Amino acid sequence: MFFSVFKLIMIKIITRVPLLGSYMKLRARQIDIVDTIEQCEQIAVKFEKSTTYLPILGLDCEWVTQNGIRHPVALLQISDNNGMCSLIRLSKFKTIPSSLSDILSNSNIIKVGVAIMDDAHLLMSDYNINVSGCIDLRYLAQECCVEERSLAALAYKLLGCTLDKDWQVRASDWEAEELNDRQTEYAALDAYVAVKIFEQLRNKKISWWNWLFLSDKQKWDMVTNIYSNYKDLPYQNVRSNGNTKFKPKSNVRSYSTSTIKSTKVYDNCLMENVDGTVMSTCSHKKVDWYISQGLAKLVNDDPKTIRLNFPADLKNRKDDFSVLPRENICTVCGRSEHFRKKSIIPKEFVRHMPTEYKSHIPHDTLLLCYWCHIKSNAFDFIIRKKIFNICQIEEQNPNENQKIPAYVKIMRSKSLAKTLLKSRHSLPDKIANELRLEIAETYNMKPNRVFDTFLETLLTIKSIKYENDCQHNSAAEKVVKHFLERDAISELKAIWRQHFLDTMKPKHLPPLWSVNYDG
């Protein structure tokens, strides 16, 4: 009993004396630089053992950005609660063994960090590495009424340690043959500090009584249950500026927030033909539009049903798939929020198909959560390559920039001008000079002539809708033509559907959904 009370007092003292907490918690740690698959497998065994007792890992990523273009993630940093930090150099072996992949994909093992969903997204898109069980520390800070949001600010507030956030380290060469000591220290601390911040935020949620009588594992389990609602949830923060509330850009890097629906997508209203035959389900918005235009009348409130005032042609419909209600859950995992519609057969192929084959769009548009959508898109690259090989067609690299070089430089100069004007007082002189030099080279002028007035002029440049995927779409058109010539469009559609089943293993497919659907 005496020992428990003494331990409690020491923990509370350390929590309130940040510098002492930093010294005790961050002084001793092990840093492993992982350059090979064999080393990675050994690390996986260690993490599997350490997470058995406390299922918590800190996670972070580093990459190189060159001329405004991001390279694939070069370094994956993982740390457990005991300070065992592993710096996995993905740039050297491009993947990780299944043993470590299983740990990262295990949602019961919590991974913590700031903007951790961004890192998880990049690992999936760059290397098809699935990271589940992620919790953004900023949500926990909000729960505990801590105002700080960045990792460095949280570390100073809760641990009393100052992280090295010098831009020269942050923007250094993470793909270098050997990492220097400063890079190693920086990378390891980012992952380790994340776990320790989680621990401090946990302390604020646990009462004195529980501190006395619960084991460490019980404390972790209790808090992780509290925070389970934040698992794999992209961070969105609404801040206030005076009397004006505004929402910053989402952390979801590849999608605009307008395409991600928070909860309900399908209203499951019904549309009837003039004779009372149910034609399809539809949204409240469509119901209101038909009524406002005098094209239909409301005949039922639950479910909301309209009947057309004119006869509609149903000769192409062969079954009732389009009239069945759709659940507002992820087709793959069953999540009930953060949705995005997934086109099982990519639109670039569908647009080149004959009209009669485009009537199956509702069947081949499924609802996925944000995370499953990213995962499915990553898997699609596999089947795309296979289909193009079948047709013996060389696909234009979809990631290869096809814009006119001059246009690219002009639009980049606009972006650089915005950066210089917005961050003129906080940008290091060296970086500012490099940005001005790049703008000067674009317009064949001297760097000392790049005044703020000129930068403001660059901001007025309007972008154009540039068809940068014309060759890419041309390849898709050739694929469709290949299958049309063999009267095998249904085979092409079946390939895509079967691929979705094999890779995603959906648990909540709509009734009547089928690989060979031809309704």
Side-chain angles (χ1 to χ4, degrees), residues 264-429:
K264 196 172 183 179
V265 175
Y266 297 120
D267 295 325
N268 290 318
C269 301
L270 296 178
M271 181 184 293
E272 294 181 350
N273 206 344
V274 68
D275 60 359
T277 304
V278 178
M279 297 172 54
S280 67
T281 57
C282 60
S283 65
H284 285 300
K285 186 176 180 180
K286 181 173 284 190
V287 165
D288 294 340
W289 185 85
Y290 269 85
I291 293 175
S292 67
Q293 298 298 313
L295 301 175
K297 59 183 178 181
L298 186 68
V299 296
N300 196 2
D301 286 324
D302 189 19
K304 201 169 187 179
T305 307
I306 56 172
R307 182 171 297 164
L308 299 181
N309 296 331
F310 59 92
D313 186 7
L314 297 177
K315 64 181 181 180
N316 290 328
R317 205 183 78 195
K318 300 177 184 177
D319 60 34
D320 294 327
F321 182 87
S322 61
V323 304
L324 296 176
R326 301 284 287 270
E327 288 189 271
N328 285 288
I329 61 174
C330 174
T331 305
V332 175
C333 68
R335 282 196 183 98
S336 57
E337 58 185 355
H338 299 287
F339 298 125
R340 194 167 193 262
K341 290 184 177 180
K342 165 73 176 180
S343 298
I344 304 303
I345 305 169
K347 293 179 181 178
E348 67 194 275
F349 293 92
V350 174
R351 69 165 57 101
H352 299 298
M353 294 181 183
T355 304
E356 60 268 24
Y357 290 101
K358 297 179 181 179
S359 61
H360 308 156
I361 291 178
H363 176 274
D364 294 316
T365 303
L366 299 178
L367 203 61
L368 301 187
C369 65
Y370 158 80
W371 186 250
C372 290
H373 197 283
I374 294 173
K375 187 176 180 180
S376 179
N377 285 349
F379 284 133
D380 283 354
F381 285 105
I382 301 172
I383 194 64
R384 291 175 66 86
K385 186 175 181 180
K386 180 179 178 182
I387 290 174
F388 280 99
N389 287 339
I390 290 173
C391 302
Q392 296 182 337
I393 294 172
E394 184 176 352
E395 181 188 16
Q396 181 69 35
N397 182 359
N399 295 321
E400 187 174 320
N401 202 322
Q402 296 298 315
K403 292 186 176 73
I404 298 172
Y407 174 77
V408 177
K409 289 185 177 181
I410 289 171
M411 296 314 298
R412 174 162 170 76
S413 69
K414 178 181 177 180
S415 176
L416 297 179
K418 185 176 180 180
T419 301
L420 285 167
L421 290 171
K422 184 178 180 181
S423 308
R424 69 181 78 185
H425 300 302
S426 58
L427 209 61
D429 291 341

